[in-house]
Amino acid sequence: MISIGVLASGRGTNLGAIIKAIEKGKIAGKVSIVISDNRNAFALKRAKQHNIETQYIDFKVFKSREDCDKKIIEYLKEKGVELVVLAGYMRILSPYFIETYKNKIMNIHPAFLPSFPGLHAQRQAIERGVKFSGCTVHFVDEEIDSGPIILQKKVRVKDNDTEESLAERILKVEHQIYPRAIQLFCRGRLIIKEGKVFIK
Ligand code: GRF
């Protein structure tokens, strides 16, 4: 059983999908802890509903991002976390964090990377007029939304889509591919070579 630590800032629907997949036996791992920088994140409630340990981390009490990340790492280490899953976590990780969990941090982005990194990816897709967008699960490196790509799935953009309607359809697909990517990791099937992920 791989011990998974989830970092989330918001509603945590991806966290919900991951928990569900674990409960159905589709992931050979367990969520040991959910950490949030937002005291009121619904993600924390979700975790508690499933008897998962939670921690709130108050950024304001730390001198630097690294100090704060060190605290988070302490929580993760206590739970023997081997995979860190970012699920709507709105803070940038320090290089120290990324180095500590090198190739062991995953993120999901609501666009078909490398198109539309950063915030408001769905709005960027609508504004650019692409016919397809989608979502991407990738490992996290020092740059934003740029690490080795694990899984991607396309979503068609309709003529009458709004940012919200597109986001909603992409989210459904996120809930399919994030648990799948995590399972591949837990099964030891992800090999990273020269910045690319190969699935064994
Ligand atoms: C998702 O759209 C994800 O792609 C992005 O943040 C959002 C998190 O949603 N990284 P939720 O909190 O999992 O519902």
Side-chain angles (χ1 to χ4, degrees):
M1 277 282 180
I2 296 279
S3 172
I4 300 166
V6 177
L7 270 53
S9 304
R11 59 194 171 170
T13 65
N14 277 287
L15 169 67
I18 293 161
I19 294 172
K20 201 164 159 193
I22 290 173
E23 287 176 352
K24 284 189 175 164
K26 291 185 177 168
I27 296 177
K30 77 177 260 229
V31 178
S32 314
I33 186 162
V34 174
I35 302 173
S36 184
D37 57 320
N38 171 8
R39 199 194 296 274
N40 302 313
F42 192 69
L44 292 178
K45 280 215 184 91
R46 261 182 225 277
K48 284 183 193 136
Q49 282 164 1
H50 293 267
N51 298 317
I52 296 167
E53 188 178 315
T54 60
Q55 285 291 350
Y56 159 64
I57 190 107
D58 182 2
F59 269 73
K60 292 188 295 294
V61 308
F62 297 94
K63 277 204 304 288
S64 65
R65 191 195 301 276
E66 188 169 314
D67 280 355
C68 179
D69 282 359
K70 281 185 175 156
K71 187 69 202 169
I72 297 177
I73 290 167
E74 203 181 298
Y75 288 137
L76 296 171
K77 292 249 153 103
E78 267 169 28
K79 304 305 279 181
V81 166
E82 294 150 278
L83 172 66
V84 180
V85 168
L86 307 184
Y89 186 62
M90 297 310 289
R91 292 194 181 259
I92 294 167
L93 300 177
S94 61
Y96 179 81
F97 193 122
I98 292 164
E99 197 47 44
T100 306
Y101 282 98
K102 201 168 172 58
N103 296 335
K104 292 189 168 93
I105 310 168
M106 274 186 197
N107 182 43
I108 189 154
H109 183 72
F112 211 81
L113 290 172
S115 291
F116 314 129
L119 291 175
H120 309 299
Q122 304 93 332
R123 188 189 305 165
Q124 294 185 54
I126 296 274
E127 281 173 359
R128 182 60 182 81
V130 290
K131 303 301 181 198
F132 287 95
S133 189
C135 49
T136 306
V137 183
H138 63 94
F139 283 113
V140 172
D141 66 9
E142 296 72 21
E143 278 156 67
I144 307 284
D145 302 324
S146 82
I149 291 170
I150 303 166
L151 291 178
Q152 295 188 290
K153 203 160 171 184
K154 273 193 304 193
V155 171
R156 185 183 291 278
V157 182
K158 297 178 185 169
D159 287 349
N160 60 354
D161 259 330
T162 59
E163 182 183 352
E164 291 73 27
S165 64
L166 178 62
E168 203 177 301
R169 285 207 315 291
I170 292 176
L171 192 64
K172 289 206 179 100
V173 179
E174 291 182 35
H175 297 165
Q176 297 166 9
I177 69 168
Y178 216 177
R180 222 173 278 157
I182 293 168
Q183 170 65 340
L184 288 170
F185 181 95
C186 291
R187 287 280 180 221
R189 292 183 56 195
L190 300 178
I191 311 294
I192 307 179
K193 243 191 252 159
E194 292 160 9
K196 294 182 198 169
V197 175
F198 297 89
I199 301 174
K200 272 206 292 194

